[in-house]
Amino acid sequence: MKMSFRWYGETDPISLQYIRQIPNMRSIVSAVYDVKPGEVWPEESIEKMKKQCEDNGLVFDVVESIPVHEDIKLGRNNVDELLNVYCENIRRCAKYGVKCVTYNFMPVFDWTRTQLDKEAADGSTSLVMYWEQMKGLDPLKDDIHLPGWDSSYSQDEVRELISAYGELGEEGLWENLEKFLKKVIPVAEECGVRMAIHPDDPPYPIFGIPRIITCEENLDRMLSIVDSPANSLCLCTGSLGCAASNDVVAMIKKYSAMDRIAFMHMRNILILDDGSFEEQGHLSSCGSLDMYEITKALVETGFDGYVRPDHGRMIWGETGKPGYGLYDRALGATYINGLFEACEKALNK
């Protein structure tokens, strides 16, 4: 496997000099963050990031993400032009050595949490989603600013998008994903890039908005649209795992054996009795997921793709972007390194 770390560029308080000190760290996962969805990424921005990483002994070969414009997901307005721009961004990334591009097809917002700083008994803080905090909220009537929602949208724009997706429905969203994949995947194949779709987070509808990358049946459907290793998964254990109905270990065994996992996001979550969940430390004992069995499934199926420690807690007085501090993600990387070493040695005995 190739160990990687999310970095938000020059505005990230965590420096590449610190990231490079994490044992076995290889790749930087980043993007061009100052360009709006639907616009072409300047080559000089991609080239600069590549050089910054190389100067620190790291490789910039994973993009997370090239955002999919809402009009592509909705199949409206200048969708064909937006698809052409998306393909050009893949070509430009590939020119500078990018091998994997992560993206999602989540309507309106990338992820939903109700609190970013829930304090645990040990004093650490983490991201949570409590259904109790969601009760009574109606984004079509109320001014809502939940974590994970794009703050660039006005409330009126959010309401318009939610209404549009409600009219589109799941099958309409599937049709637009199919158009996207049939346009984009051939370009990725030509460029030697693997497109890795991220599951919906959480993997079930919120406020009636359709979500489709949610479960094994739907992952099968997505992968069958274009049967190619370039059309693969970013399998996020925390996103799929916060629905108790998803057997994450079985999914990994299946899709890794098919060579359809390009990127692993590895984190643990604790599912509560009412379906709410809390993000936890990476260790199996901290949450509802068996991180050892997850790693074992990857090793036994010969997984050699990218792995990154996903959301961490904020610990040791660190401040910054919730879920993306240095300390707990570095601990997560070290833990994951140990799991891989143990599983690989056990397999080779």
Side-chain angles (χ1 to χ4, degrees):
M1 63 90 177
K2 306 175 186 72
M3 182 62 73
S4 65
F5 205 83
R6 184 80 179 265
W7 183 59
Y8 284 92
E10 292 177 326
T11 63
D12 196 323
I14 301 168
S15 69
L16 292 172
Q17 289 92 331
Y18 287 171
I19 295 171
R20 70 182 294 182
Q21 295 172 18
I22 302 170
N24 196 39
M25 191 52 63
R26 176 191 184 277
S27 295
I28 288 297
V29 181
S30 197
V32 176
Y33 294 106
D34 58 354
V35 176
K36 295 179 180 179
E39 296 181 358
V40 176
W41 287 7
E43 284 197 41
E44 54 267 27
S45 297
I46 307 170
E47 185 178 24
K48 180 180 180 181
M49 189 167 294
K50 173 184 172 70
K51 186 177 186 307
Q52 288 174 314
C53 293
E54 289 176 347
D55 288 347
N56 285 277
L58 298 164
V59 183
F60 174 46
D61 53 357
V62 184
V63 162
E64 186 176 342
S65 61
I66 303 177
V68 181
H69 196 283
E70 298 295 339
D71 284 347
I72 292 177
K73 299 173 196 173
L74 286 164
R76 66 183 187 183
N77 298 332
N78 58 335
V79 60
D80 291 330
E81 179 184 340
L82 290 168
L83 287 170
N84 288 334
V85 168
Y86 202 98
C87 290
E88 176 60 20
N89 282 334
I90 293 173
R91 294 187 185 98
R92 292 188 177 201
C93 288
K95 180 179 177 179
Y96 293 96
V98 170
K99 301 298 183 185
C100 178
V101 172
T102 302
Y103 68 101
N104 71 71
F105 223 73
M106 290 183 248
V108 189
F109 40 83
D110 284 359
W111 46 271
T112 299
R113 302 291 187 272
T114 55
Q115 192 174 343
L116 301 179
D117 57 355
K118 173 65 176 178
E119 186 169 344
D122 63 5
S124 63
T125 62
S126 63
L127 287 68
V128 301
M129 195 192 85
Y130 294 145
W131 283 113
E132 184 66 31
Q133 294 175 336
M134 298 277 281
K135 282 183 178 178
L137 298 181
D138 184 349
L140 295 180
K141 297 178 181 178
D142 308 320
D143 287 343
I144 300 175
H145 300 279
L146 286 174
W149 290 37
D150 189 336
S151 60
S152 68
Y153 291 135
S154 68
Q155 287 295 142
D156 286 342
E157 289 171 327
V158 168
R159 293 186 181 106
E160 188 278 326
L161 285 170
I162 290 175
S163 296
Y165 279 111
E167 293 176 10
L168 182 70
E170 282 193 12
E171 283 307 313
L173 192 58
W174 274 112
E175 289 175 10
N176 295 334
L177 175 59
E178 180 173 349
K179 181 174 182 177
F180 172 83
L181 292 174
K182 288 182 174 178
K183 175 74 173 182
V184 165
I185 298 302
V187 174
E189 289 175 329
E190 292 170 7
C191 295
V193 169
R194 298 191 74 177
M195 299 297 297
I197 194 167
H198 190 286
D200 298 340
D201 186 7
Y204 35 75
I206 300 289
F207 299 125
I209 302 169
R211 293 196 161 200
I212 57 177
I213 309 302
T214 57
C215 61
E216 184 176 352
E217 178 183 358
N218 287 8
L219 295 181
D220 287 344
R221 179 174 176 177
M222 189 283 300
L223 293 173
S224 70
I225 292 172
V226 182
D227 189 6
S228 165
N231 179 31
S232 288
L233 305 174
C234 170
L235 200 149
C236 177
T237 62
S239 296
L240 290 170
C242 62
S245 55
N246 283 332
D247 186 334
V248 175
V249 174
M251 288 179 173
I252 290 171
K253 288 179 180 178
K254 174 178 177 176
Y255 297 119
S256 181
M258 293 167 58
D259 189 27
R260 298 302 284 274
I261 301 177
F263 193 15
M264 285 293 305
H265 286 184
M266 296 182 68
R267 63 180 165 92
N268 206 347
I269 48 90
L270 179 66
I271 304 174
L272 305 181
D273 291 342
D274 68 347
S276 301
F277 61 89
E278 301 172 347
E279 297 190 0
Q280 297 283 335
H282 284 76
L283 274 69
S284 299
S285 58
C286 292
S288 301
L289 304 182
D290 190 327
M291 304 302 286
Y292 172 79
E293 290 295 335
I294 284 169
T295 307
K296 183 182 175 186
L298 291 168
V299 170
E300 290 181 344
T301 53
F303 176 78
D304 64 353
Y306 298 92
V307 170
R308 76 167 173 84
D310 204 4
H311 304 170
R313 303 162 299 149
M314 300 306 277
I315 62 174
W316 302 340
E318 186 176 23
T319 59
K321 186 178 177 65
Y324 287 96
L326 171 64
Y327 304 143
D328 202 41
R329 285 191 296 155
L331 290 176
T334 301
Y335 175 59
I336 293 166
N337 280 331
L339 288 176
F340 269 93
E341 180 178 348
C343 291
E344 287 165 358
K345 287 185 174 180
L347 182 67
N348 294 327
K349 274 187 177 180

